[in-house]
């Protein structure tokens, strides 16, 4: 450490610029699946922590959906108590290595950070990742001590961030928790959707181990609704409460002609083949994936961004991102958009696909598009794209990947009588995640219809608390 | 991990496995399938639940070794394990009553048809079954099918057993003889299901087929198994696997099922060249 941050005067601390992560070079990383960002090193972490103003009113904490005591953890970093810092985070969020990597910080904690009013906000996400990685690298994790063991059994359905968080919180309270997951591995979208180059599987595996270290049982290959129903869980399996965190996994298609040609994928299928099934290691792994010279990905969210950057890594010379609004409306995390641009992703903004073209073998050979203009704002407040008068045009591509939205998988809803659903089949949950059925709670994408990792965790945490209250009350 | 309790070779390349999977066994119904993964580096593939035994906690699969995954499975023996098995998946067959039904199985499709035929027979329907195979040695489940059918017909492409010809030849005869067949179940290779559907269309006989689309998750999450039925996109794993044969776009499916032909060849060549492959397993 060249500079001693602890000896700096407040005025000097104010002058430290926001620290950036070390990253793989764009033209190198767009050919591999290793993590793009190395995060910040200790020196940068200390400099970054020194920037925090230790506000009287730490608004950052309110900006965080799980209410992490950011000011305190940043102070602990400043004091070089990294384990203290990570434990401070873990009081509110059991999976810090994940959030630090995938949370849209710029819209949450960092958006409201006081320092951000005049300067760049404190890089809270990067610090979160730093301490989590530090703990990991030095093997300093010790599971929290469970003070009281309780006999009630709780089933958690789905092992995405909502389910994992709910399970961890309930296990910490001493309950007997079992997670049921349909796929052969845990993590939900963290496993099959978000690529290795943003969230290494070793991190995910480790976080899962830490959930197990709390005594949580995990049953994979178990599709609730089919392998056993919710009512069987309650009546025959002896579960006292249930949390549903089955996400919003059903992909939507645009409904344009040509979607059945070979080479058209939903982003879910494309990413599942690559991430869950490791198709990028074919033929060492058996699951195939076929990526042509040019690939068009449709959409503007995180899913689209992951699919397009993955296509590039699988060898596409041209990886196009086709989005019908303009760049400012893109819902993806700012960092991912920036990274995609650096990696040579070709953005086609204000463009809407109208038809997929195929050759005589039934394989994709092009995509027909229409230029769009922004009209009046729609109900979401964003300006609505309308077709321009320009003639349609065709882009030559061998793959089309659609990332145009997802809705909840209906298997549980259709096999659980009395479970109220709303628009797009989401399970209706109140502000403490209770569903229309007693003893059944829900959260994450299942009740939100597609949101973020941290909101899923928030729901899981609130549900755990509510399940605890429910079970305590039932005992009386 | 799921333990293989029993293994039996039914025909060259066709093997029966009894596997320990108590939860799945309890819930299995005719028409359901599972997704399995043989090993860590393996692919997820769908296989029909041919039978189950709740008391023993086992399920029965009958599998034809045609590519890498099914050949890797064929190397496993009783006492061995497969990595993953998930289900039961798909909609169970709606069991109708009071009908005269032709049940048609082609190749390993006969195994997929067996539980359905059994359930339909138990529900009191009159069953005419037709088993089609390339040659005598590939005829499977003859005895079992006999037990659940009123009449059983067998056709072989090369005439090495029973009637020479295709299942459609036999079916046409049955339809023409006014037996009152008012429902047809056809399970087998796509070209066979297509031919059966084309045959029954002018007779106006409802025809149900089971679509073997390429699947990944089997839960409705990837959309890879999409098929066009009556002009609409359906996911075979959750909306099916059974559909009205007259509404299925078979030509589109035939193309889609060939998506990965070259890569499948790479996989299987790589696999059969590896030294561990045991030629005694009776693989083609
Ligand atoms: C490609 C992609 C990238 C994303 N990137 C980001 C990002 O950078 N930052 C961010 O904040 N958000 C991102 N998101 C959104 C975020 O991942 C989701 O909001 C979040 O994962 C939702 O968590 P969840 O726990 O509700 O459900 P999921 O993560 O969807 O997990 C649900 C789990 O339940 C299982 N399941 C479903 N049905 C059953 C059943 N019947 N029985 C048993 N198990 C079942 C599923 O297999 C799955 O494992 C991204 C989403 C995608 C698709
Ligand atoms: C609902 C359903 C039930 C089935 N039941 C049976 C059964 O009871 N017995 C049986 O022998 N076979 C059954 N099949 C077919 C079986 O899944 C394929 O034979 C198997 O996947 C081939 O895999 P492979 O690696 O050995 O061959 P590959 O060489 O990889 O493929 C050979 C052919 O099998 C098909 N196929 C490949 N991968 C998949 C996949 N992931 N999902 C579906 N099809 C694929 C393709 O058409 C391909 O051309 C069923 C298929 C479906 C959809
Ligand atoms: S979890 Fe997300 S919102 Fe909360 S502090 Fe971390 S990065 Fe910010
Ligand atoms: S708002 Fe920003 S500067 Fe203030 S305590 Fe939070 S992180 Fe530090
Ligand atoms: S196999 Fe993925 S949706 Fe059917």
């Amino acid at each position: 450490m060249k500079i001693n941050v602890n000896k700096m005067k407040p005025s000097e601390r104010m002058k430290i610029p926001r620290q950036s992560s070390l990253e793989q070079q764009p033209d190198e990383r767009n050919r591999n699946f290793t993590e793009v960002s190395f995060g910040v090193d200790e020196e940068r972490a200390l400099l970054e922590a020194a920037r925090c103003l230790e506000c009287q009113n730490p608004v950052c904490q309110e900006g965080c959906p799980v209410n992490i005591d950011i000011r305190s953890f940043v102070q602990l970093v400043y004091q070089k108590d990294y384990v203290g810092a990570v434990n401070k985070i873990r009081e509110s969020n059991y999976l810090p290595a994940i959030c630090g990597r995938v949370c849209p910080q710029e819209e949450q904690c960092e958006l409201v950070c006081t320092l951000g009013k005049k300067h760049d906000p404190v890089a809270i996400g990067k610090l979160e990742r730093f301490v989590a990685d530090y703990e990991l690298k030095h093997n300093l994790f010790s599971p929290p001590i469970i003070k009281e063991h309780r006999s009630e059994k709780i089933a958690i359905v789905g092992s995405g961030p909502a389910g994992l968080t709910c399970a961890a919180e309930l296990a910490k309270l001493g309950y007997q928790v079992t997670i049921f997951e349909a796929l052969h591995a845990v993590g939900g979208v963290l496993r099959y959707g978000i690529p290795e180059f943003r969230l290494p599987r070793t991190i995910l595996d480790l976080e899962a181990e830490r959930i197990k270290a709390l005594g949580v049982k995990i049953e994979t290959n178990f599709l609730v609704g089919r392998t056993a129903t919710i009512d069987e869980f309650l009546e025959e399996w002896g579960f006292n409460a249930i949390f549903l965190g089955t996400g919003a996994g059903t992909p939507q298609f645009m409904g344009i002609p040509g979607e059945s040609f070979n080479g058209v994928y939903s982003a879910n299928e494309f990413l599942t083949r690559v991430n869950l099934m490791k198709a990028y290691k074919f033929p060492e792994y058996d699951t195939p994936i076929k990526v042509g010279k040019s690939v068009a990905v449709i959409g503007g969210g995180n899913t689209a961004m992951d699919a397009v950057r993955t296509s590039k890594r699988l060898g596409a010379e041209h990886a196009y991102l086709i989005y019908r609004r303009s760049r400012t409306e893109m819902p993806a995390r700012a960092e991912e958009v920036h990274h995609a641009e650096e990696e040579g992703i070709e953005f086609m903004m204000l463009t809407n696909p109208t038809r997929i073209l195929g050759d005589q073998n039934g394989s994709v050979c092009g995509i027909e598009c229409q230029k769009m203009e922004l009209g009046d704002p729609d109900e979401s407040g964003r300006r609505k794209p309308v077709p321009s008068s320009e003639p349609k045009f065709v882009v030559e591509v061998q793959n089309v990947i659609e990332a145009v939205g997802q809705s909840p998988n209906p298997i549980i809803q259709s096999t659980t009588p009395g479970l109220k659903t709303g628009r797009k089949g989401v399970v209706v949950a109140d502000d403490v995640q209770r569903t229309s059925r007693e003893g059944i709670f829900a959260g994450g994408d299942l009740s939100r219809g597609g949101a973020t990792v941290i909101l899923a965790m928030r729901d899981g945490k609130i549900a755990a608390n509510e399940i605890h209250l429910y079970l305590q009350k039932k005992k009386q | 991990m799921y333990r293989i309790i029993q293994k039996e070779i039914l025909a060259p390349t066709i093997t029966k496995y009894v596997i320990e999977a108590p939860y799945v066994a309890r819930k299995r119904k005719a028409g359901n399938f599972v997704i399995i993964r043989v090993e860590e580096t393996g692919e997820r593939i769908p296989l029909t639940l041919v039978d189950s035994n709740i008391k023993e906690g086992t399920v029965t699969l009958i599998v034809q070794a045609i590519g890498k995954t099914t050949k890797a499975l064929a190397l496993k023996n009783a006492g061995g394990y497969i990595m993953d098995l998930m289900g039961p998946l798909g909609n169970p067959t709606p069991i109708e009553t009071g009908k005269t039904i032709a049940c048609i199985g082609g190749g390993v499709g006969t195994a997929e048809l067996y539980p359905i035929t059994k359930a339909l027979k138990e529900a009191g329907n009159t069953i005419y079954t037709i088993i089609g195979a390339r040659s005598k040695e590939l005829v499977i489940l003859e005895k079992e099918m006999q037990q659940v059918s009123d009449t059983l017909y067998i056709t072989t492409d090369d005439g090495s057993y029973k009637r020479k010809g295709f299942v459609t030849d036999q079916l046409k005869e049955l339809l023409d003889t006014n037996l009152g067949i008012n429902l047809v179940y056809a399970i087998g290779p796509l070209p066979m299901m297509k031919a059966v559907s084309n045959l029954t269309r002018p007779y106006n006989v409802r025809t149900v087929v089971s679509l073997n689309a390429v699947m990944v998750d089997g839960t409705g999450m990837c959309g890879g198994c999409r098929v066009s039925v009556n002009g609409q996109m359906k996911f075979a794993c959750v909306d099916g696997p059974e559909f009205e044969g007259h509404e299925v776009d078979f030509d589109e499916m035939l193309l889609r099922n060939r998506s990965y032909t070259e890569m499948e060849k790479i996989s299987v060549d790589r696999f059969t060249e590896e030294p561990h492959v045991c030629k005694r397993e009776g693989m083609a």
Side-chain angles (χ1 to χ4, degrees):
Chain A
M1 195 69 217
K2 284 168 246 119
I3 347 155
N4 188 341
V5 289
N6 303 87
K7 291 218 174 107
M8 286 170 114
K9 288 200 281 289
S11 61
E12 286 172 330
R13 285 167 59 175
M14 287 282 284
K15 287 197 191 106
I16 305 170
R18 181 175 155 115
Q19 301 296 299
S20 54
S21 296
L22 303 161
E23 288 170 359
Q24 273 197 74
Q25 286 307 308
D27 53 354
E28 194 173 307
R29 70 178 191 239
N30 66 13
R31 282 174 280 138
N32 66 46
F33 280 83
T34 318
E35 193 170 14
V36 166
S37 165
F38 304 120
V40 291
D41 56 15
E42 187 175 357
E43 180 173 336
R44 287 175 188 231
L46 285 169
L47 283 168
E48 191 57 42
R51 297 178 67 230
C52 174
L53 304 170
E54 294 166 53
C55 303
Q56 282 294 334
N57 172 22
V59 283
C60 48
Q61 186 167 351
E62 287 155 40
C64 171
V66 293
N67 215 17
I68 292 176
D69 183 351
I70 297 170
R71 181 182 58 185
S72 302
F73 108 73
V74 174
Q75 279 321 296
L76 287 162
V77 175
Y78 183 67
Q79 291 155 19
K80 299 194 181 181
D81 180 3
Y82 309 128
V83 175
V86 77
N87 285 333
K88 179 55 71 187
I89 299 171
R90 206 169 270 119
E91 283 171 16
S92 314
N93 174 357
Y94 199 71
L95 307 162
I98 294 171
C99 290
R101 288 175 162 83
V102 302
C103 213
Q105 298 93 5
E106 72 275 8
E107 293 167 21
Q108 297 172 168
C109 53
E110 295 182 17
L111 178 73
V112 293
C113 167
T114 316
L115 188 63
K117 301 276 181 295
K118 281 204 184 129
H119 307 270
D120 290 325
V122 174
I124 299 163
K126 301 234 159 61
L127 288 176
E128 210 172 359
R129 171 177 168 180
F130 169 76
V131 293
D133 286 1
Y134 183 91
E135 178 197 54
L136 221 136
K137 202 166 110 198
H138 298 94
N139 211 3
L140 295 167
F141 174 77
S142 53
I145 293 147
I146 295 162
K147 295 188 198 86
E148 189 184 345
H149 286 274
R150 302 172 201 266
S151 60
E152 288 98 331
K153 286 169 66 186
I154 298 146
I156 307 283
V157 186
S159 67
L164 291 178
T165 304
C166 189
E169 296 301 324
L170 286 166
K172 282 198 279 182
L173 289 166
Y175 289 103
Q176 309 301 309
V177 183
T178 309
I179 297 179
F180 294 90
E181 167 57 49
L183 295 173
H184 60 252
V186 299
V189 171
L190 305 175
R191 171 82 53 180
Y192 73 76
I194 298 180
E196 190 111 14
F197 60 81
R198 283 216 284 137
L199 179 63
R201 292 305 98 121
T202 43
I203 303 268
L204 189 51
D205 290 341
L206 226 117
E207 295 280 34
E209 284 307 313
R210 288 172 178 180
I211 303 254
K212 281 193 209 152
L214 292 171
V216 172
K217 287 197 221 99
I218 300 183
E219 289 268 3
T220 51
N221 294 320
F222 200 114
L223 182 65
V224 178
R226 295 266 197 252
T227 317
T229 63
I230 295 291
D231 284 300
E232 286 165 347
F233 272 173
L234 293 169
E235 285 154 25
E236 295 166 24
W237 291 59
F239 285 109
N240 304 90
I242 291 174
F243 175 75
L244 304 175
T246 52
T250 302
Q252 280 152 24
F253 284 85
M254 296 188 76
I256 56 176
E259 285 176 325
S260 52
F261 288 129
N262 291 337
V264 180
Y265 292 102
S266 73
N268 268 11
E269 181 185 357
F270 185 75
L271 292 168
T272 299
R273 282 179 179 271
V274 178
N275 298 330
L276 177 70
M277 305 309 299
K278 300 202 169 70
Y280 69 96
K281 291 188 182 164
F282 181 90
E284 185 198 331
Y285 281 73
D286 294 337
T287 304
I289 191 114
K290 236 160 93 180
V291 171
K293 234 173 93 177
S294 303
V295 177
V297 175
I298 308 167
N302 285 318
T303 313
M305 220 53 71
D306 284 342
V308 78
R309 295 171 70 197
T310 299
S311 321
K312 190 86 187 171
R313 282 164 172 75
L314 291 172
E317 282 171 33
H318 295 283
Y320 303 106
L321 187 90
I322 301 182
Y323 181 54
R324 64 196 178 114
R325 301 179 198 255
S326 70
R327 210 189 127 144
T328 43
E329 281 95 13
M330 276 203 301
R333 281 182 82 216
E335 189 181 9
E336 310 312 330
V337 178
H338 172 68
H339 280 155
E341 250 172 357
E342 286 183 341
E343 288 166 13
I345 303 306
E346 295 163 59
F347 285 54
M348 293 172 61
M349 298 294 102
L350 284 167
T351 306
N352 200 32
T354 47
R355 191 155 62 106
I356 301 167
L357 309 170
D359 61 19
Q360 68 280 10
N361 303 319
S363 299
V364 174
C365 62
I367 186 162
E368 182 193 74
C369 301
Q370 167 88 66
K371 270 288 183 200
M372 307 297 275
E373 284 164 0
L374 286 181
D376 297 330
D378 61 13
E379 52 297 359
S380 75
R382 296 181 300 180
R383 290 177 66 194
K384 198 182 151 97
V386 291
S388 78
S389 54
E390 285 175 48
K392 292 180 180 164
F393 60 99
V394 170
V395 188
E396 209 177 292
V397 294
Q398 291 77 43
N399 292 98
V400 173
I401 301 167
E402 297 194 22
V404 293
Q406 319 199 151
S407 51
N409 186 311
I411 290 177
I412 289 189
Q413 295 83 310
S414 63
T415 52
T416 313
L419 190 65
K420 204 170 146 210
T421 55
R423 209 175 68 91
K424 274 185 165 182
V426 301
V427 167
V428 178
D430 67 9
D431 56 354
V432 287
Q433 311 306 132
R434 288 181 298 205
T435 68
S436 57
R437 285 226 8 213
E438 192 194 317
I440 305 179
F441 302 76
D445 281 5
L446 173 66
S447 63
R448 293 173 180 270
T452 59
V453 171
I454 195 67
L455 287 172
M457 290 178 171
R458 174 200 165 274
D459 291 355
K461 200 175 138 183
I462 290 181
N465 195 40
E466 191 60 28
I467 288 170
H468 178 49
L469 292 177
Y470 166 76
L471 293 175
Q472 291 300 102
K473 209 145 114 215
K474 255 190 115 169
K475 256 207 204 111
Q476 285 161 13
Chain B
M1 300 284 265
Y2 299 78
R3 196 153 65 102
I4 301 172
I5 303 293
Q6 188 198 325
K7 177 183 175 184
E8 184 188 335
I9 294 174
L10 302 185
T13 76
I14 302 179
T15 311
K16 173 173 142 181
Y17 306 87
V18 178
I19 300 171
E20 206 169 51
Y23 302 150
V24 181
R26 269 206 290 206
K27 301 284 285 190
R28 179 204 72 99
K29 291 209 174 73
N32 284 146
F33 64 95
V34 285
I35 293 266
I36 69 152
R37 192 174 66 135
V38 177
E39 54 213 353
E40 178 57 36
T41 56
E43 191 173 5
R44 293 168 66 96
I45 64 158
L47 295 168
T48 301
L49 286 161
V50 176
D51 208 347
S52 58
N53 184 326
I54 300 181
K55 227 172 76 219
E56 308 282 326
T58 58
V59 296
T60 302
L61 308 176
I62 295 181
V63 188
Q64 180 162 36
I66 55 165
K68 161 73 205 275
T69 309
T70 45
K71 289 184 182 194
L73 178 61
L75 287 185
K76 300 271 174 183
N77 288 311
Y81 290 85
I82 61 170
M83 197 87 190
D84 302 293
L85 184 148
M86 190 260 291
L89 302 172
N91 295 308
T93 308
I95 301 304
E96 318 229 5
T97 50
K99 291 235 153 66
T100 302
I101 308 173
C103 289
I104 305 161
V108 77
T110 304
E112 301 171 44
L113 184 69
Y114 170 70
I116 296 171
T117 313
K118 188 170 170 220
L120 289 170
K121 178 70 187 163
E122 280 165 4
N125 297 286
T126 305
I127 312 278
Y128 293 91
T129 297
I130 310 172
I131 297 178
R134 276 204 316 266
S135 63
K136 181 177 178 184
E137 53 175 15
L138 289 168
V139 174
I140 54 166
L141 303 178
E142 181 178 352
K143 202 173 83 237
E144 289 82 351
M145 276 299 198
Q146 185 75 65
Q147 279 167 7
V148 297
S149 310
D150 290 273
T151 317
L152 173 72
Y153 303 90
I154 295 176
T155 66
T156 48
D157 297 5
D158 63 359
S160 54
Y161 190 52
K162 302 279 169 90
R163 178 177 178 148
K164 179 174 166 41
F166 298 122
V167 289
T168 39
D169 302 333
Q170 184 69 57
L171 177 63
K172 184 163 186 340
E173 215 173 278
L174 298 184
L175 289 170
D176 286 337
T177 35
N178 278 329
L179 296 165
I181 290 173
N182 45 19
L183 181 60
V184 171
Y185 267 87
I187 308 184
L190 278 173
M192 180 212 106
M193 292 192 283
K194 181 183 168 182
V196 168
S197 300
N198 283 342
L199 173 67
T200 57
R201 190 176 283 114
Y203 292 88
N204 231 340
V205 177
R206 210 186 126 209
T207 301
V208 179
V209 295
S210 179
L211 295 182
N212 50 335
V214 174
M215 296 186 180
V216 184
D217 57 300
T219 68
M221 184 269 273
C222 76
C225 63
R226 61 193 185 278
V227 292
S228 293
V229 180
N230 211 3
Q232 283 183 316
M233 184 191 290
K234 297 281 177 197
F235 291 178
C237 70
V238 284
D239 300 323
E242 288 170 16
F243 293 98
E244 297 293 328
H246 296 157
E247 298 178 351
V248 171
D249 186 338
F250 284 103
D251 295 332
E252 177 188 298
M253 247 207 103
L254 279 160
L255 285 173
R256 280 188 68 78
N257 270 28
R258 270 186 237 130
S259 290
Y260 297 107
T261 312
E262 304 131 54
M263 301 179 90
E264 283 156 359
K265 193 170 174 317
I266 295 173
S267 274
V268 79
D269 288 350
R270 196 169 171 271
F271 181 70
T272 38
E273 274 158 24
E274 276 171 38
H276 65 258
V277 175
C278 167
K279 302 285 182 213
R280 278 180 300 124
E281 294 290 336
M283 296 177 316

